[in-house]
Amino acid sequence: MEKIWRVAELVPVDVRSQFPELNPITLQLLWNRGLRDQKVIDEFLNPDWGGDIHDPFLFTQMRKAVDRILAGIAEKEKIIVHGDYDADGVCSSAVLITTLRALGADVDVYLPHREREGYGLNLQTIDHLHDVHKANLIITCDCGTSNHDEVARATELGMDVIITDHHHEPVKRPDAYAIINPQLKDSGYPFPHLAGSGVAFKVAQALIRSAPGNTIGGQTKEGFEKWLLDFVAISTVTDFMPLIGENRTLVKYGLVVLRKSPRPGIRALAEAMSSRQENFDTTTIGFQIGPRLNAAGRMDHASTAFRLLISTDAEEATAIAAALNQSNVDRQKLTETIVNQAKKSIGTVTPARKLLAAVGEGWPVGVVGLVAGKLTDVNHRPVLVMAKQGEEVVGSGRSIPGYDITDALLRHKQLLTRFGGHAGACGFTMPEANAPAFVRGMEEDAAKRITEKDLQDVVQIDVDLALPDVTWSLLDTIELLEPYGVGNPKPTFSCRGMHVTELQPVGKEGKHLRIVVNHTVPEPRKFIAFGGGEKYGNDLTVGDKIDAVFTVDRNEWNGTAELQLKVIDLHISQQK
């Protein structure tokens, strides 16, 4: 399906005159992101720790939670931090474990196994924490908001549960000792978009500020807080939280910490990825760090990723990082295999099919979400990928803008034993016998609600440029908007009518394509099309005139730097 290019509307002339200090491209990029008054623009361009980080005690139940935790520490009670198996759950756990241990707590971590235990608390785990760990207090990270029955069981056994989470309001809220969740309507907190680690960090902040003395772990209280932000940055980006408001400030300062973090695990991970730690950015997190941390929970157990993050031994960290690297390679191969199998299960994709579903025997639960995401990207329609496991089916779904896939699950909740998610992604479990009716129901639901316009694959373009405008000065403008992520995407540009002067296959088997153009600029410009060897290589020849949508990056190699234009989409130009 050919993609539709949509260039953003230009900033109105009368608005431009209100911001004479901003160059036109900077103003256009800000306008496209909904930043349209001076105060909001100033806050966005200059995130401030003092002014943009909210008081953790704005959470209505924070004081109650902190007093209970500090009492547990003072009484030498056994505290268990119960996390989750993804990068956000692991980083959240690392934030709280690091803080609680520095405060002198008797604390251990418990991370569930993705396939054997599933997401969140379960009744068997509650009994285990009581009988084996002798827990007095359970603090959840990145989970717990929907675990009504499990919290009731913990209370029955004499354990208090404090929930720290960021998932949506459940049908039935658990009767926990305290719930710290910015998504709840009565949370009291002004920013609802924190990641699970962001919520854990607010609890850590409140504990640190309430603890006696002026130092923790040999650092000032503020210094200790800020050195937790590498964990927060990793999970906020990896969990696709919007990089606006408080998240933008947390990630901006978190990247500063991440780039100079002395943690052996972070340093070992940089070496394993063959990356320079001082150059880490949101792209590094999203495409290198996050996938490796997530690979632990997908391929085996999340405890491997957790041990890496909190390791204090360089030799141990190096071994764990190497293992995670291999797990990620194995995960990539397995995902590719299941993608091909799922494509066969789906069959021919016709315009009439608004939602696609694939079911496989023995597919690992840890990769079905990744497979659904890849198939959604290719077909630009919602995809459900399900794995048969005994008498159950466990699945994940990914969606497109305009179709809330978790709302769709809610309309079929009678067929499901458990489910959750958000507009763009979901997870669910059901008896195998219910799967055919579930798939039919979801297909019918999508057919009624998804329009032809929803299925259009649109490429959003910030600014249409002439090639001479693609300069180092433009890159300086782009970098003002960092960090990029959900809610603040990397700026995209288009140039049209460029003459191809050279084509160079790049990478193993010519998988990628370097395209050199010379279009009224002092020197040729180089585009890199990742995956473009197969996609464009047979259609392009030297001398062709092309249009391209791209991002602009800095490419440093052997001590030299050049502008690198990464192709998002490309076609033969219609310009004469």
Side-chain angles (χ1 to χ4, degrees):
M1 182 188 299
E2 187 168 307
K3 296 181 179 180
I4 296 170
W5 294 9
R6 186 169 295 158
V7 182
E9 293 183 8
L10 290 174
V11 178
V13 175
D14 63 317
V15 173
R16 288 183 226 166
S17 64
Q18 298 173 29
F19 300 95
E21 75 284 3
L22 295 175
N23 73 55
I25 292 179
T26 303
L27 181 58
Q28 184 70 54
L29 295 175
L30 294 168
W31 179 267
N32 295 350
R33 284 150 184 75
L35 304 166
R36 301 181 177 185
D37 68 66
Q38 192 67 58
K39 183 175 184 295
V40 172
I41 288 173
D42 289 344
E43 288 176 354
F44 184 85
L45 293 178
N46 302 289
D48 174 57
W49 184 262
D52 299 335
I53 298 295
H54 301 300
D55 182 349
F57 288 102
L58 291 174
F59 280 104
T60 54
Q61 296 193 34
M62 183 66 83
R63 174 51 65 191
K64 183 180 181 185
V66 165
D67 287 348
R68 176 65 184 88
I69 295 169
L70 291 177
I73 295 172
E75 296 297 322
K76 302 297 181 184
E77 291 183 323
K78 187 66 180 183
I79 301 174
I80 297 293
V81 171
H82 185 297
D84 188 26
Y85 41 66
D86 68 358
D88 191 18
V90 168
C91 288
S92 304
S93 301
V95 167
L96 281 186
I97 284 287
T98 301
T99 303
L100 290 169
R101 285 180 178 168
L103 292 171
D106 178 7
V107 61
D108 287 327
V109 70
Y110 187 91
L111 302 175
H113 190 279
R114 183 188 289 264
E115 295 200 19
R116 291 196 296 268
E117 297 171 272
Y119 170 73
L121 302 168
N122 68 49
L123 293 172
Q124 292 75 24
T125 300
I126 296 298
D127 289 343
H128 174 80
L129 296 180
H130 176 264
D131 298 341
V132 177
H133 290 267
K134 309 300 182 184
N136 305 107
L137 172 64
I138 300 170
I139 306 172
T140 73
C141 292
D142 193 32
C143 64
T145 300
S146 60
N147 292 126
H148 177 274
D149 293 345
E150 292 79 4
V151 171
R153 175 62 176 162
T155 303
E156 178 187 331
L157 292 173
M159 297 182 290
D160 288 332
V161 180
I162 294 173
I163 293 170
T164 80
D165 195 5
H166 70 134
H167 292 94
H168 290 303
E169 179 86 50
V171 175
K172 190 175 184 181
R173 194 184 292 188
D175 187 19
Y177 187 89
I179 303 179
I180 311 299
N181 183 339
Q183 291 283 349
L184 303 186
K185 59 181 179 292
D186 56 353
S187 76
Y189 202 71
F191 184 72
H193 304 299
L194 293 172
S197 70
V199 180
F201 176 73
K202 302 313 292 189
V203 175
Q205 267 193 319
L207 285 168
I208 291 164
R209 295 176 184 186
S210 298
N214 298 317
T215 62
I216 291 180
Q219 301 179 68
T220 65
K221 286 186 171 183
E222 185 176 3
F224 188 92
E225 277 185 21
K226 287 186 176 178
W227 280 107
L228 297 171
L229 290 175
D230 49 356
F231 298 144
V232 180
I234 289 170
S235 60
T236 301
V237 173
T238 304
D239 219 42
F240 302 105
M241 292 295 102
L243 293 194
I244 58 175
E246 188 172 17
N247 278 347
R248 179 171 170 79
T249 306
L250 290 170
V251 172
K252 180 170 181 175
Y253 282 89
L255 284 171
V256 173
V257 173
L258 190 61
R259 288 168 185 151
K260 55 185 180 182
S261 174
R263 300 187 201 278
I266 298 298
R267 296 195 167 191
L269 200 53
E271 186 174 340
M273 300 185 311
S274 300
S275 295
R276 295 169 63 93
Q277 184 179 343
E278 62 268 28
N279 293 336
F280 280 1
D281 58 13
T282 54
T283 300
T284 313
I285 293 172
F287 291 93
Q288 293 184 271
I289 298 174
R292 283 166 173 79
L293 296 180
N294 277 323
R298 294 185 190 283
M299 302 301 291
D300 184 18
H301 199 285
S303 59
T304 308
F306 176 78
R307 285 191 295 114
L308 177 75
L309 292 180
I310 67 164
S311 175
T312 57
D313 181 86
E315 189 174 336
E316 176 194 50
T318 297
I320 297 173
L324 283 181
N325 221 34
Q326 186 58 50
S327 290
N328 192 50
V329 171
D330 296 341
R331 187 270 309 164
Q332 289 170 328
K333 292 177 180 177
L334 181 60
T335 301
E336 187 174 346
T337 298
I338 306 301
V339 164
N340 291 330
Q341 293 175 4
K343 285 179 178 177
K344 291 179 182 177
S345 175
I346 288 169
T348 303
V349 179
T350 64
R353 297 181 68 183
K354 303 289 182 67
L355 177 144
L356 309 176
V359 185
E361 189 80 48
W363 288 350
V365 171
V367 301
V368 293
L370 298 175
V371 173
K374 286 182 177 292
L375 294 175
T376 296
D377 290 342
V378 170
N379 297 288
H380 200 69
R381 60 200 67 213
V383 177
L384 304 171
V385 178
M386 294 161 280
K388 294 180 182 178
Q389 289 198 324
E391 296 181 355
E392 284 191 327
V393 167
V394 180
S396 284
R398 298 294 183 270
S399 195
I400 57 176
Y403 186 69
D404 188 324
I405 200 160
T406 300
D407 267 1
L409 292 188
L410 193 58
R411 291 188 284 273
H412 298 83
K413 64 182 180 181
Q414 74 280 3
L415 298 171
L416 305 172
T417 51
R418 60 192 302 176
F419 68 94
H422 50 79
C426 67
F428 53 89
T429 304
M430 75 187 99
E432 184 185 354
N434 291 359
F438 172 73
V439 171
R440 282 196 305 272
M442 291 290 287
E443 288 174 339
E444 291 168 2
D445 187 88
K448 285 189 295 186
R449 297 170 189 274
I450 295 177
T451 67
E452 294 299 325
K453 186 176 180 181
D454 292 328
L455 295 179
Q456 293 176 347
D457 194 355
V458 177
V459 178
Q460 300 288 353
I461 300 167
D462 279 297
V463 185
D464 196 9
L465 296 174
L467 198 59
D469 294 330
V470 182
T471 62
W472 287 101
S473 177
L474 175 65
L475 183 60
D476 290 340
T477 294
I478 294 167
E479 290 176 343
L480 289 173
L481 275 68
E482 292 182 340
Y484 311 125
V486 176
N488 178 33
K490 195 167 192 174
T492 56
F493 305 94
S494 57
C495 285
R496 304 169 195 262
M498 300 174 291
H499 286 98
V500 177
T501 59
E502 195 174 342
L503 293 169
Q504 303 170 347
V506 177
K508 189 177 179 181
E509 300 175 354
K511 184 176 181 181
H512 313 303
L513 187 65
R514 182 177 289 115
I515 306 164
V516 183
V517 299
N518 191 346
H519 179 71
T520 63
V521 290
E523 59 186 29
R525 287 281 182 260
K526 296 177 183 178
F527 288 85
I528 182 70
F530 291 106
E534 179 181 353
K535 189 173 182 181
Y536 308 120
N538 295 327
D539 299 325
L540 283 181
T541 58
V542 172
D544 281 343
K545 191 183 284 189
I546 62 170
D547 302 337
V549 181
F550 57 93
T551 59
V552 182
D553 290 288
R554 182 191 313 269
N555 185 36
E556 297 183 1
W557 181 255
N558 286 338
T560 63
E562 64 178 5
L563 290 174
Q564 179 170 265
L565 284 54
K566 292 183 182 179
V567 172
I568 295 172
D569 198 26
L570 177 154
H571 55 228
I572 300 297
S573 180
Q574 300 302 308
Q575 288 189 7
K576 295 182 179 179

